[in-house]
Amino acid sequence: MGPAALWHRLIARDDVHLWKRDDLRPVLVERMPQVVEDPDAAADGMIPAVRAYLTFLSETGRLAKGSDALDDLLDELDAVEDDFVEAMEEVLGERDWDEEEEDLDEEEVEGLGDFEPFADELGDLPTIRLRPDAELATAARAVPLIFKARDLAVWVGKARKVGEDTLLSDEEIRQALAVVGLPEPGERPLAHAVPALWNLWNLAVDLEFLTPDGEDTVSVDEDTAAWPFENDEDVLDAWMLGLHSVDYGDPELDDDDLTLALSGLTRALLIRLLIAGGERTLDDLRDELAEAAAEFDDLGASAWADAGDPLAPVLEWLSGYGMITVSGDRVGLTPLGTEGVVHLLDDDDIEVDARPAIDAMTALDLLSFSADLPEDEADTEFAAWMKLREPATAAEELLEAAAEDEADALIRVQAASLVGSLGPVAVPAWQEALNEPSLRPYAATHLAQLGVEDAPEPSQSDTHWLILDMWTISAGLGRPEFVSSLHDIGPAPVLSSLLEVIWKVPHPHVEELLEAVSDAHPDKQVAKAAKRALFKARSGAGDRE
């Protein structure tokens, strides 16, 4: 009885004791299917519960003045009972269908737009070079579909009522079509004849230009009118929110089964462009995708023929979202499109070798990627990067990047190694690095090796910092590597003596490293020394050097 009584008060009468026969159908048949948690139990027990409740109110004098007579209420209850039970059964059927769809999703049924079958080819691709955010943001600011979605959202305005059968009335649809520059079709019903408008509506929702602000209303987000945004990061964040709109490019046919047979066509085109190096002829794409559609679904060939030109909506949407260009018979990925496909692959946990373009690669990019590359590949990246800048400038950029995060020992070691390979030309950069606590040990060491006059001698604290960096890196490689790096220091007495003083170094990882030594070192004396040092580090941080 609880849900029925609650919604009677919310949508019918403020007084829970005031009941009219006209209240029963809206509450039970129209509202309950939308809100009931257990439709099976509701179908069995809600009508009897309402009947008993109304009878109780009447017999105890609690049925408020102005209510209909009990007999009239019970007659109406009998009249709506079959419709109520049928509505609950429909809810049960819909939920069963949703569960079946979820099961299908979990089984990852292959389709035209699945990337997994191409994983091996993608893994074998040469390095994909990505353009810098500033360039991508500039391209995103010019995307026509985002402007249309913005204009539609601004037209929607604040608290616009939306209907159940169609979001907008016919007159509102005509206004919206004019706002986004789409022609009014001659077909009726109008709501079924404007899929392009609904795609733009969905894009506006994806972009968070439109947001629900009530059960039956939507509103434009307050920042929408400011598109294109000034901040590059905000622009790219918005573009990425709408990236999955690529699926709106799939052909929409009159027959749902035929439409389903071509679902994923847009993604299928994108992945083939990427594998081909970014460009294909339209004829080749048509032939290959037609064959793929026929293999994917028994209705694929029929759907392809029925669509006329299945690639037309695909090309139109992708061009409108800034992801491809079409020139004559050739289709090519734009830099924005390449970025988008790489992100879609990442969403599916499919790895590709994607890196910033050499001319757009920052020193931090270079250091980050080099850390995960084989030595020969890292050397190749460094050599290409160095060709675009003077050695002294390169040294400055690398050390500045290494100083950004004091906790990143691997980046610091990478930078020191690369700058060290530049020789005397890097002296000014090393001298500047003496002012950075995390880089001073490296700077002092390299300046001493280069024989620079007046350079400070590396201190014991500098040496200890270098050791802690080495331990940090080896700890990230696993327990065997970490233990091996501890043995590199020397026998147990030497390591124990080091632990008695190294805890004083203000290294960001000193405490976790001391704890790791106490857990990993096989010698009990060393483990005890590490625990004592850890206690001192935690209780006497203010006494550190």
Side-chain angles (χ1 to χ4, degrees), residues 25-105:
R25 180 171 291 276
V27 171
L28 294 171
V29 180
E30 296 175 10
R31 181 61 60 181
M32 284 300 102
Q34 301 176 30
V35 300
V36 70
E37 293 185 4
D38 189 344
D40 195 17
D44 291 337
M46 187 171 286
I47 294 295
V50 175
R51 183 179 288 111
Y53 177 66
L54 294 175
T55 302
F56 167 77
L57 291 180
S58 178
E59 292 179 349
T60 59
R62 290 181 172 85
L63 194 61
K65 184 179 180 181
S67 298
D68 288 337
L70 176 63
D71 288 345
D72 291 337
L73 291 172
L74 297 183
D75 287 345
E76 179 64 13
L77 200 59
D78 291 338
V80 303
E81 183 170 7
D82 288 345
D83 291 340
F84 173 78
V85 172
E86 182 179 345
M88 291 299 108
E89 290 174 348
E90 289 181 0
V91 172
L92 283 170
E94 290 172 358
R95 293 187 182 178
D96 289 343
W97 175 257
D98 290 341
E99 289 175 2
E100 290 176 8
E101 286 189 327
E102 288 176 5
D103 291 341
L104 288 175
D105 290 341

Side-chain angles (χ1 to χ4, degrees), residues 144-145 147-153 155 173-183 196-198 200-201:
L145 284 174
F147 280 97
K148 289 179 181 291
R150 178 204 64 182
D151 293 344
L152 178 62
W155 170 81
I173 289 174
R174 293 187 185 95
Q175 294 176 21
L177 289 171
V179 166
V180 298
L182 291 173
L197 177 64
W198 303 134
L200 286 173
W201 181 285

Side-chain angles (χ1 to χ4, degrees), residues 152 155-156 159-163 166-179 190 197-198 201:
L152 178 62
W155 170 81
V156 166
R160 182 175 291 269
K161 297 286 290 184
V162 293
T166 176
L167 292 170
L168 304 173
S169 67
D170 282 0
E171 179 55 33
E172 287 176 316
I173 289 174
R174 293 187 185 95
Q175 294 176 21
L177 289 171
V179 166
L190 194 55
L197 177 64
W198 303 134
W201 181 285

